[in-house]
Each structure stands twice: as C-alpha cells, then as structure tokens.
Amino acid sequence: MTRQKPWVQLGLLPCTAIAFLLCPCCHATTHWQWNSIPVIGNALQAHGMTDTADASVIINPSLEYPIFHGKSALWSLPDSCHEMIQRELSSLSSSSSSSDDDNDVGKKKKKEKVALLLMLAGYGDAAHDVLLGTTLDNLQEAEYAATHRGQTNWAGEHPLSDLDDVLHSLIHRIYEGSTHGEGGYTGYENAQYWCAGGPKKYEAPIAAAKAEWNNYEATTPTTGVLLLAKVYQELCQLALKNTPICVSRGIIAQAPTAEAAPTIDKTSTVTKPQQAKESDQHKRSRRGVSHSIIAGGGKFRDVFVPEGCWDPIAFCQLLLENDEEMKKNGGKEDTTTNTNHRRLLLQQELEYLTEKELELLAKHLLLSSSSF
C-alpha cells in the first residue's frame, strides 16, 4: 500500500522531496532527495552546483570524518563544488578596498554560506570540514591539525560563529542521528551541544537566545542569526498548522502547567548528576522548558528554551524516540494497530519538518535579498 503523508491526507502541503528508500531507523542507510525540493535545487543551481542540483541524485547522509584520518572530505568533492568554494572564499581576500575587520566578517559569512550549500548538497563531511576552518588553500595545515589534536592552535585561529554552531548542530543531527560519532556521543547529543553554542555554553539555543522572535512584522533581519530566528519562527507556524503530534510532544516550548516529575533524557548514554534546583523567584520569572544537555568531559548542564520558541533539543529527543521505535520493529511499518499507525504519522511529521527546515534555510539564508 502506498504511504500517504499526513499533510497530504489533510489536504495541506504536498511532500515529494524526501524519499526514504531503505530502512528509516538508521541514518547510515537512510537516503534523501533534498535536491528535489525546488527551493534547494534553485539555491544549488544559483551557486553553480548544477551536478548536485539534479533531483535524480540520491543523497546518503552519514559522517565518516576522513579529515581525522588525514584526508579532508574537500578532496573528493566534484569540480562544481571546488569552483564554488574557490569563488566564494577567494572573492574577499582579493578585495583591496575592504578593511581587515570587514574582511574577517565577510569571510565568516562566506564560510557559513559554503558550509550550508555543501550540507544541502549532501556533502556532510565537507560541510563539517569547512565549518571548522578548512579551505582549499589550507588543506594540509587543516589535516595536520585534525590528526594532531591539541598540538596546534587551530581551534583558536578558526573560532566558530553562532551561525557556525547552528549549522554544526544540524549536520550532526541530520547526517548522524543516533549513530555515535565525535567524542563518543551520538549525533543527537552533539546536535544538542552545538545548538546552544557548544563551548560558549549559552543559556538557550542560539536563535532563541540572540533574537526577539516577535519583532519581524515590520523589519527584515540582516544577519545570519536573525535570519535563523526567522527560519524557526516560520517553522513553528508550519508545525502548529501541519504536525499536531510533534507539537503535542513539545517541539515548540511550552511553560509547564504543573510541577513536572523528573524525567530521563533518552538522548544520552551517560548517567546524569542530579540537577541543581533553581530559586523559586528565578523559576517564576521565566516561562519555557529546561533541558539537560552534554557539556563535554562527561558533564551536563541545563539549557532553557523560552515559551513559544522552536525547541531543537526536544526535536532531537523525538527523533531519537522514533529511531528506537523503528529499530524495535526492524524498520518495518506496521499500521495494523492504532499505536503503530500513530507512530507512522509521527515519522511522517518528522520527515515533513526536516524538509521544511532545510527549505527555509535555503530560502532565507541563500536566496532572499537579505541573505549572505
């Protein structure tokens, strides 16, 4: 029987762009066709990546981290990607009219743009390398630093911007998922870590922490982080309209109506210490949801998501639960019971939201007049 998407059943937006062709319980064998999403295909074509914009090309999301074995993923990219990287990252250094400060800001924006394009084109490892500062001009230096970790000042010389952190989070979530990767953590755990600034340890996910979400009626954001806030504001609107199960499971932060019982965060395999209690006054001054995420070194910390904001941490938790349920069923879709039918609808909603998130990123960060 042909699978119907819940938004198709409801007469809402059709979804033909993402195709799960193999077992959807494992990210290493999940195939997508992101480039068949018109907005993404247009963004790739607009930047000369014509071979990756072909909607017939199937993308296999996974992270192998070849740079940590001495060879950057940039070596294996097709010519159109090499040309795009050279064009985007070299255009700034050739400008003699810009000040050093302007050039630094421009380079950061260009790096973010290149990483996003590579991520959308299906080159997760290459996007990951670019975010960490790798270019076609410093490949050997980057490979040395990656294979001699702690012995160079690479991280200090190539700091990550807030937008870098968000894209870094998306790469781990979408390309790695429940698979264990960097630091022995799963992709979902690393995604939660980076969405709140990684080592910067922000109190809230970056888009929520850096922007006032309700101030977009009369103005257009002009920076990457403000554009991200716009992306997730629109994603919240789509979620409220089209994905009732995901909304009921907390992907949009809601203030608890009663004292919540302690819960176990399934996104971690490491035992968490008892969380410190906030003062009653501090609790009353904030409305939203608190989560515990990894902080590195086997430690954890609390992150707060303001009420009404997209909750990337809850979304990771929901994706993990869906992965685990699919693994129990051997990747098979059984619609013979109401429970299994609801699980299928949940999976379809998660697919829909992932597609829309990528589409909105391409729309606002690559194609709009206020993009990079």
Side-chain angles (χ1 to χ4, degrees):
M1 183 175 67
T2 302
R3 283 176 53 186
Q4 272 197 317
K5 307 294 184 185
W7 48 94
V8 174
Q9 296 170 358
L10 296 173
L12 299 173
L13 295 173
C15 175
T16 58
I18 296 181
F20 278 75
L21 304 179
L22 294 178
C23 169
C25 68
C26 177
H27 276 69
T29 55
T30 299
H31 289 61
W32 304 66
Q33 285 178 285
W34 298 326
N35 40 13
S36 65
I37 301 173
V39 172
I40 293 178
N42 291 340
L44 295 175
Q45 285 187 329
H47 291 86
M49 302 168 69
T50 53
D51 48 358
T52 60
D54 184 353
S56 65
V57 176
I58 305 300
I59 297 166
N60 180 17
S62 64
L63 291 180
E64 303 295 335
Y65 302 108
I67 196 169
F68 295 139
H69 301 284
K71 187 174 183 179
S72 169
L74 269 62
W75 287 107
S76 59
L77 290 174
D79 290 343
S80 67
C81 290
H82 285 158
E83 292 168 3
M84 180 274 292
I85 294 172
Q86 198 67 39
R87 183 172 60 250
E88 295 293 342
L89 296 184
S90 297
S91 61
L92 287 128
S93 57
S94 62
S95 174
S96 59
S97 60
S98 299
S99 68
D100 290 341
D101 289 342
D102 289 341
N103 216 18
D104 287 342
V105 171
K107 285 179 179 178
K108 289 179 181 178
K109 290 182 178 181
K110 292 291 187 177
K111 180 184 75 169
E112 295 155 353
K113 179 180 182 178
V114 168
L116 177 56
L117 283 165
L118 291 172
M119 184 187 79
L120 293 175
Y123 300 109
D125 277 304
H128 191 266
D129 287 0
V130 168
L131 283 177
L132 298 182
T134 309
T135 70
L136 296 176
D137 298 324
N138 66 8
L139 282 170
Q140 292 183 337
E141 182 185 355
E143 290 164 349
Y144 181 86
T147 53
H148 296 76
R149 302 178 81 172
Q151 299 179 37
T152 72
N153 191 35
W154 181 270
E157 294 173 351
H158 301 83
L160 272 64
S161 68
D162 289 345
L163 183 50
D164 287 339
D165 291 336
V166 173
L167 296 178
H168 198 168
S169 172
L170 290 173
I171 290 171
H172 281 289
R173 193 196 85 203
I174 295 174
Y175 278 83
E176 209 165 36
S178 54
T179 303
H180 285 80
E182 279 189 288
Y185 296 109
T186 67
Y188 292 137
E189 289 173 312
N190 278 314
Q192 293 176 333
Y193 172 77
W194 286 108
C195 80
K200 302 168 193 170
K201 296 184 179 180
Y202 291 141
E203 290 188 2
I206 288 169
K210 293 293 182 179
E212 295 295 331
W213 280 50
N214 297 320
N215 292 340
Y216 293 112
E217 289 80 359
T219 60
T220 301
T222 55
T223 68
V225 171
L226 290 178
L227 286 169
L228 276 173
K230 182 69 170 177
V231 165
Y232 290 105
Q233 183 188 46
E234 291 190 18
L235 191 60
C236 282
Q237 295 169 354
L238 290 171
L240 289 168
K241 182 179 180 181
N242 300 333
T243 59
I245 299 175
C246 286
V247 171
S248 71
R249 299 291 297 276
I251 61 166
I252 299 175
Q254 300 177 9
T257 56
E259 187 70 23
T263 59
I264 297 175
D265 186 346
K266 294 184 179 181
T267 60
S268 178
T269 57
V270 184
T271 304
K272 293 185 174 63
Q274 183 69 30
Q275 296 182 15
K277 293 184 177 180
E278 296 180 294
S279 68
D280 290 339
Q281 181 178 1
H282 192 45
K283 282 183 178 180
R284 287 193 295 268
S285 67
R286 301 195 301 178
R287 292 182 62 82
V289 178
S290 291
H291 297 284
S292 181
I293 66 171
I294 62 172
K299 297 180 180 180
F300 293 81
R301 69 183 187 89
D302 290 341
V303 173
F304 180 78
V305 184
E307 184 178 27
C309 290
W310 175 261
D311 190 336
I313 298 169
F315 192 57
C316 283
Q317 293 169 350
L318 197 52
L319 285 164
L320 175 64
E321 291 177 21
N322 181 68
D323 285 0
E324 291 177 341
E325 288 297 332
M326 292 301 297
K327 286 178 181 178
K328 288 179 184 178
N329 296 330
K332 298 178 181 179
E333 296 173 354
D334 181 1
T335 59
T336 57
T337 66
N338 288 336
T339 300
N340 287 331
H341 180 64
R342 185 174 177 84
R343 288 173 185 160
L344 176 58
L345 291 177
L346 171 61
Q347 181 183 337
Q348 293 171 337
E349 288 189 6
L350 292 170
E351 292 176 20
Y352 169 81
L353 289 170
T354 300
E355 175 193 341
K356 289 303 173 185
E357 181 179 26
L358 295 174
E359 182 179 325
L360 289 168
L361 285 167
K363 172 185 172 183
H364 288 294
L365 275 69
L366 296 174
L367 294 177
S368 74
S369 58
S370 57
S371 61
F372 296 121

